[in-house]
Amino acid sequence: MPMIHRLKALSVERLATLGMYPDGAGLYLQIARGGSKSWIYRYRLNAREQEMGLGPLHTVSLAEAREAALEARKLKLKGIDPIEAKRSAAMERRIDAARAMTFDGAVTAYLKTRAGAWGNAKHSAQWESTLQTYASPHFGSVSIDRVDTALVVKALEPIWATKTETASRLRGRIENVLDWAAVSGFRTGDNPARWKGHLDKILPAKAAVAKVEHHDALPFREIGAFMADLKGQPGQAARALEFTSD
């Protein structure tokens, strides 16, 4: 059985001569020209000798280097190349970072894709203005993949009864942006801004809260002239209005 844990923390700090100092089980302290010290894990896999850097001594302690070497040995035992696994993990982190996008960033990207289709700068400006005014304060800086139902409702609820038409347009625009983000790979799962079968279970129907706009009443002195004009109008609608006015 190979000896392990040969090195001591104090001796590691004191060593200064160029060379490779074994701790055991493939872990080495490497001292390079100039005195820099770093950890190396040496292993053999598929008839190939490999060296895997585990970090400099000033950042990675002896205990941490031993733990990293242990994890590498476990991978090797499963037939997994520790270096390849490390590269894959780094690549995944870079991909995740590239995918990271805030809701505001998604709005900007989405509007760019729609610019040619709309062909109307005013339409795009209205979209952006609505989202900036009512959605951005609540989740504009939130990662697009973390926008959920609670956040969408938080933006819609304050204006759902007072500015119903605006709120309805806002909901649809949020839904479109989130759909684009899903198709583009920036988020997964159901769209939290969809209406049917989702928000319709939380918010009242637009017709139930929209303010009814009544026409001004016809001044009494103008009724005679109106009725005379109505009699001259063709169609059943005019006759029905005559009937209700009697």
Side-chain angles (χ1 to χ4, degrees):
M1 183 176 177
M3 292 180 59
I4 61 172
H5 299 180
R6 300 179 188 179
L7 298 174
K8 303 296 181 185
L10 185 58
S11 63
V12 163
E13 293 293 337
R14 290 177 175 174
L15 287 170
T17 306
L18 180 74
M20 299 281 285
Y21 297 85
D23 184 57
L27 178 62
Y28 291 81
L29 174 69
Q30 176 180 261
I31 302 180
R33 286 186 174 82
S36 63
K37 300 177 182 180
S38 60
W39 297 106
I40 300 293
Y41 172 62
R42 282 180 170 176
Y43 63 98
R44 184 179 180 83
L45 185 65
N46 299 326
R48 292 179 60 193
E49 297 288 343
Q50 301 273 35
E51 284 193 1
M52 178 180 178
L54 302 179
L57 177 62
H58 60 68
T59 302
V60 180
S61 68
L62 174 59
E64 290 169 335
R66 285 171 176 169
E67 184 63 29
L70 175 61
E71 292 301 317
R73 289 196 298 272
K74 288 179 179 179
L75 289 173
K76 179 175 169 288
L77 191 62
K78 297 175 182 178
I80 301 171
D81 189 331
I83 292 177
E84 290 302 318
K86 185 177 180 180
R87 287 172 182 164
S88 295
M91 179 63 73
E92 285 297 323
R93 288 193 295 271
R94 286 195 293 271
I95 291 173
D96 288 342
R99 285 177 177 169
M101 177 182 283
T102 64
F103 178 79
D104 281 348
V107 170
T108 300
Y110 173 75
L111 292 177
K112 284 182 180 179
T113 68
R114 301 300 299 166
W118 283 334
N120 187 331
K122 184 178 180 181
H123 192 181
S124 178
Q126 289 172 341
W127 258 73
E128 191 169 16
S129 176
T130 302
L131 291 165
Q132 282 183 348
T133 302
Y134 299 108
S136 292
H138 298 286
F139 51 85
S141 60
V142 174
S143 178
I144 192 70
D145 65 330
R146 294 185 179 276
V147 176
D148 58 13
T149 301
L151 288 172
V152 173
V153 171
K154 192 175 181 181
L156 295 174
E157 213 166 29
I159 61 171
W160 193 254
T162 57
K163 298 178 180 179
T164 308
E165 192 58 42
T166 298
S168 180
R169 287 196 295 268
L170 173 65
R171 185 208 62 77
R173 289 168 183 178
I174 294 172
E175 183 179 20
N176 279 319
V177 171
L178 295 178
D179 275 345
W180 171 87
V183 172
S184 301
F186 293 103
R187 63 175 286 124
T188 58
D190 293 335
N191 192 321
R194 75 183 188 280
W195 176 253
K196 192 173 182 180
H198 188 61
L199 290 182
D200 62 348
K201 309 302 181 187
I202 301 173
L203 298 169
K206 188 171 71 168
V209 294
K211 184 179 178 181
V212 177
E213 296 290 341
H214 295 283
H215 293 290
D216 293 336
L218 185 69
F220 179 77
R221 293 179 181 178
E222 298 178 18
I223 291 178
F226 173 76
M227 293 303 295
D229 182 61
L230 186 62
K231 286 181 180 181
Q233 297 292 326
Q236 293 185 356
R239 303 294 75 78
L241 185 54
E242 275 189 288
F243 177 77
T244 58
S245 301
D246 286 341

